[in-house]
Amino acid sequence: VDVGRPPPPFDPELDSPSVAYLERHGYDLPFLDAESWRNYLPRLLALAIGSVESPSNAIDGLLASLRPPDRTPPRLASLSAKQEAAVVAVLEVLAFGEDSVHSEGACTALEEWWGEAPIYRYGRNVA
């Protein structure tokens, strides 16, 4: 992300996870390590619930980050059962909400990892 340069110093105003910040860095989410990803996940899930009808870089990045393959050490498999339930609940709203513009990405994430009988979870169909 920093093109091999040291990252700029933390700036509370520029680096706060505001909606604008999340929108600006939404496509970076799939590249975060597990700890950083879990830090942003609650904010992104809340944003997703409020953005069902609106296109959003942050929600597109969230959906991409919720898809396999998982990493080593794991990111997707690092969530507790309660956290997983929250992810599934939000994905279901995004996938099946009447006015959702995020249906396709949410359905894909459910099919691949989070839904019932997922394609890539639990060691099935892993290349």
Side-chain angles (χ1 to χ4, degrees), residues 36-53:
S36 299
W37 178 75
R38 285 190 310 270
N39 178 60
Y40 288 102
L41 191 58
R43 291 173 181 89
L44 289 160
L45 294 175
L47 178 63
I49 291 298
S51 302
V52 172
E53 299 174 10

Side-chain angles (χ1 to χ4, degrees), residues 68 76-77 79 84 112-115 118-124 126:
L76 302 177
L79 300 179
E84 285 188 15
E112 291 180 346
W113 191 269
W114 302 98
I119 296 170
Y120 297 106
R121 195 166 184 177
Y122 310 118
R124 297 182 318 154
V126 177

